[in-house]
């Protein structure tokens, strides 16, 4: 499975961006996809994850009610709609995928993911 993230850029505080992550190769039915981010000088942290069907999602407290994760019907592209962006959202955003099913306690752990995209930079600044 290859993952390609895109959509990052420079945005002012309060603005919006939509990130995309397209999967190619051997897509495994039932898998989970997620977003993580890493700010300069900080460890990678969980942002959000979505189940294969799209019926289950999890968000980090820091982005809840501002970010929305969803995926297309073909299950090959995942999106992260980011609204009300703050300077502290500045980071490289990585998409990830795991073949295993949805376990709420596990989807926030980076070690649970087998495949990673290259990252896309989001900068929130005036």
């Amino acid at each position: 499975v290859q993952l390609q993230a895109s959509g990052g850029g420079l945005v002012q505080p309060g603005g919006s961006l939509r990130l995309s992550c397209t999967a190619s190769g051997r897509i495994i039915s039932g898998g989970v996809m997620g977003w993580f981010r890493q700010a300069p000088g900080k460890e990678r942290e969980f942002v959000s994850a979505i189940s294969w069907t799209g019926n289950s999602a999890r968000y980090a407290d820091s982005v809840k009610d501002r970010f929305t994760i969803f995926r297309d019907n073909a299950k090959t592209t995942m999106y992260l709609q980011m609204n009300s962006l703050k300077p502290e959202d500045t980071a490289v955003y990585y998409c990830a995928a795991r073949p295993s099913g949805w376990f709420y306690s596990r989807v926030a752990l980076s070690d649970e993911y087998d495949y990673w995209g290259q990252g896309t930079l989001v900068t929130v600044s005036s």
Side-chain angles (χ1 to χ4, degrees):
V1 177
Q2 293 79 45
L3 302 176
Q4 180 71 40
S6 62
L10 173 64
V11 62
Q12 293 186 342
S16 298
L17 277 178
R18 178 177 291 185
L19 304 183
S20 300
C21 177
T22 300
S24 60
R26 185 168 176 264
I27 306 300
I28 300 174
S29 176
V32 173
M33 295 185 75
W35 290 98
F36 291 76
R37 67 185 181 186
Q38 187 166 18
K42 295 187 176 181
E43 294 187 353
R44 187 173 298 186
E45 65 175 3
F46 170 75
V47 176
S48 184
I50 190 167
S51 64
W52 175 257
T53 62
N55 291 336
S56 297
R58 180 175 176 177
Y59 297 92
D61 289 342
S62 58
V63 307
K64 201 173 294 183
D65 299 326
R66 298 188 298 121
F67 291 10
T68 302
I69 190 171
F70 57 101
R71 59 196 305 176
D72 68 345
N73 290 336
K75 307 295 190 292
T76 57
T77 302
M78 171 183 65
Y79 303 91
L80 185 69
Q81 178 65 41
M82 306 186 295
N83 299 329
S84 302
L85 283 161
K86 305 175 181 180
E88 50 264 43
D89 294 317
T90 295
V92 176
Y93 284 70
Y94 298 90
C95 61
R98 50 175 262 146
S100 304
W102 180 266
F103 294 93
Y104 185 86
S105 62
R106 296 182 183 177
V107 297
L109 304 176
S110 60
D111 289 347
E112 292 286 330
Y113 290 80
D114 300 290
Y115 307 102
W116 291 84
Q118 85 289 359
T120 184
L121 176 62
V122 173
T123 303
V124 184
S125 175
S126 54

